[in-house]
Amino acid sequence: MKKLKILFVTRNDREYIVPASHYFIEELGKLTNLHVTHQSGDINKLVAEMEEKPDFIYINDYLENGSPVVKNLKQLKLPFAVGLHDLHYQKPYRKAMLKKEEVQHIFTYYRDKFLQWYPEFSEQMHWLPHHAHRDIYCDYHQNKDIDVLMMGSLLEDYYPLRVLMQKRLDRRPGFVYHSHPGYRNVQQQENNVYVGTSYAKELNRAKISLTCDSVFKYPLMKYFEITACNTLLLAPYSKELGDLGFIPGVNFVSINEQDFEEKMDYYLENEAERQMIAHNGMYLSQHRHSTKQRAQDFLDEVVTILTEKPPSSLI
């Protein structure tokens, strides 16, 4: 079968603190004839600069911080889609632009909040959850010399459970917290900044890793990254997470504000059970939620878009 030609418009995340979209592009490039651009401007001009007309156009992280600003989508004669990441970011403005540009296909990492906050676009939604790149997030067979690890932002307005856990466990022996280095590009010579392989290896050192799903109840990337590294994940549960295959007590452990210490102590004492659940979580994320699989999922959705009748125009 002839490979599809796809124009992929995105921020350059090769050296970004969260390089997930860079990994995704690498995998998608193996499946398609992929042309990646980081340029802003008129979409028709971007298309005209290509040697061949693409079969499909995708604008990643549409109208988010640092993303290319692409205009005149409404004038496109080619099928296209946009991707939304942080659904809470500038909702009124982005809703207005989605309507103005008559966007008919919207990819989102988060299903339930999209349906709650963007109900008028429900027919245009394509659910494409987060993923973990198996070449990075895997079992490095390191000595499990960290009892309990937590990494990431402690902005209380967004992550109140993380803040609570960090405060309660801060002086506890065996607990390690690494602060977030900021959403930015990271230089190779920087020390003590966990990104890519160094981040995954640090996760792999931990017996248990704590995180949360934010005030928005998003199935965040950390759910996939932690489990893929064969580390027991303790984090809140949601219906959306369950639909992704995360089963409490089977491949991760569900916690809340009242019980996280009790469950943490239990699984530190019960090594065989901890290892079994962690291994199940690794299998889930490395098979069902690998970056390679998600690139295939994306391509399958694109093929469906190209072969099916488009949804009715927005009103």
Side-chain angles (χ1 to χ4, degrees), residues 105-227:
H105 298 284
I106 306 168
F107 284 76
T108 177
Y109 293 109
Y110 311 124
R111 180 194 67 190
D112 291 351
K113 280 300 178 182
F114 184 92
L115 293 174
Q116 177 183 342
W117 289 341
Y118 297 78
E120 64 269 47
F121 300 98
S122 60
E123 290 188 5
Q124 286 92 332
M125 187 192 81
H126 299 266
W127 186 27
L128 196 78
H130 283 301
H131 43 87
H133 190 31
R134 286 191 304 208
D135 291 349
I136 304 293
Y137 299 99
C138 59
D139 188 356
Y140 291 91
H141 302 287
Q142 297 194 115
N143 182 29
K144 294 281 189 180
D145 56 357
I146 298 174
D147 282 347
V148 181
L149 174 68
M150 187 165 70
M151 303 174 76
S153 173
L154 291 182
L155 291 172
E156 191 162 11
D157 288 346
Y158 292 103
Y159 309 110
L161 179 56
R162 284 187 208 170
V163 173
L164 173 65
M165 293 190 292
Q166 195 273 337
K167 287 180 178 178
R168 196 174 294 176
L169 300 173
D170 186 40
R171 298 183 183 276
R172 174 176 171 142
F175 173 71
V176 174
Y177 169 68
H178 296 308
S179 60
H180 197 289
Y183 292 100
R184 59 184 178 84
N185 285 351
V186 176
Q187 304 304 314
Q188 290 185 353
Q189 65 269 25
E190 290 190 55
N191 296 319
N192 300 318
V193 176
Y194 297 99
V195 61
T197 301
S198 64
Y199 170 56
K201 285 184 174 180
E202 192 71 1
L203 291 175
N204 187 231
R205 288 177 58 198
K207 298 172 184 174
I208 291 171
S209 186
L210 302 168
T211 195
C212 74
D213 52 3
S214 81
V215 294
F216 305 121
K217 301 302 177 185
Y218 292 154
L220 294 170
M221 202 178 300
K222 280 186 169 59
Y223 279 80
F224 306 90
E225 295 167 339
I226 292 168
T227 49

Side-chain angles (χ1 to χ4, degrees), residues 16 18 55 87-88 93 95 99 110 112 143 174-176 193 213 225 235 241 247 255 263 281:
Y16 193 57
V18 185
D55 301 303
L87 297 178
H88 55 280
Y93 171 67
K95 279 190 174 188
K99 290 181 179 179
Y110 311 124
D112 291 351
N143 182 29
F175 173 71
V176 174
V193 176
D213 52 3
E225 295 167 339
L241 195 67
I247 305 172
I255 58 169
K263 290 185 177 179

Side-chain angles (χ1 to χ4, degrees), residues 76-103:
L76 263 178
K77 304 301 182 183
L78 298 168
F80 73 94
V82 305
L84 301 186
H85 187 170
D86 289 324
L87 297 178
H88 55 280
Y89 180 72
Q90 294 190 351
K91 274 188 293 183
Y93 171 67
R94 289 205 288 178
K95 279 190 174 188
M97 291 303 297
L98 290 169
K99 290 181 179 179
K100 177 183 177 181
E101 295 282 23
E102 297 184 1
V103 177

Side-chain angles (χ1 to χ4, degrees), residues 24-36:
F24 179 81
I25 287 168
E26 287 186 326
E27 292 297 330
L28 187 61
K30 298 173 185 177
L31 302 173
T32 66
N33 288 324
L34 191 66
H35 179 86
V36 179

Side-chain angles (χ1 to χ4, degrees), residues 282-299:
M282 180 174 64
Y283 185 88
L284 171 70
S285 286
Q286 289 197 359
H287 290 78
R288 183 170 170 181
H289 301 301
S290 71
T291 302
K292 179 179 180 180
Q293 179 59 53
R294 199 63 82 240
Q296 183 64 58
D297 296 339
F298 174 83
L299 181 57

Side-chain angles (χ1 to χ4, degrees), residues 245-256:
F246 286 82
I247 305 172
V250 174
N251 46 38
F252 90 111
V253 174
S254 175
I255 58 169
N256 57 40

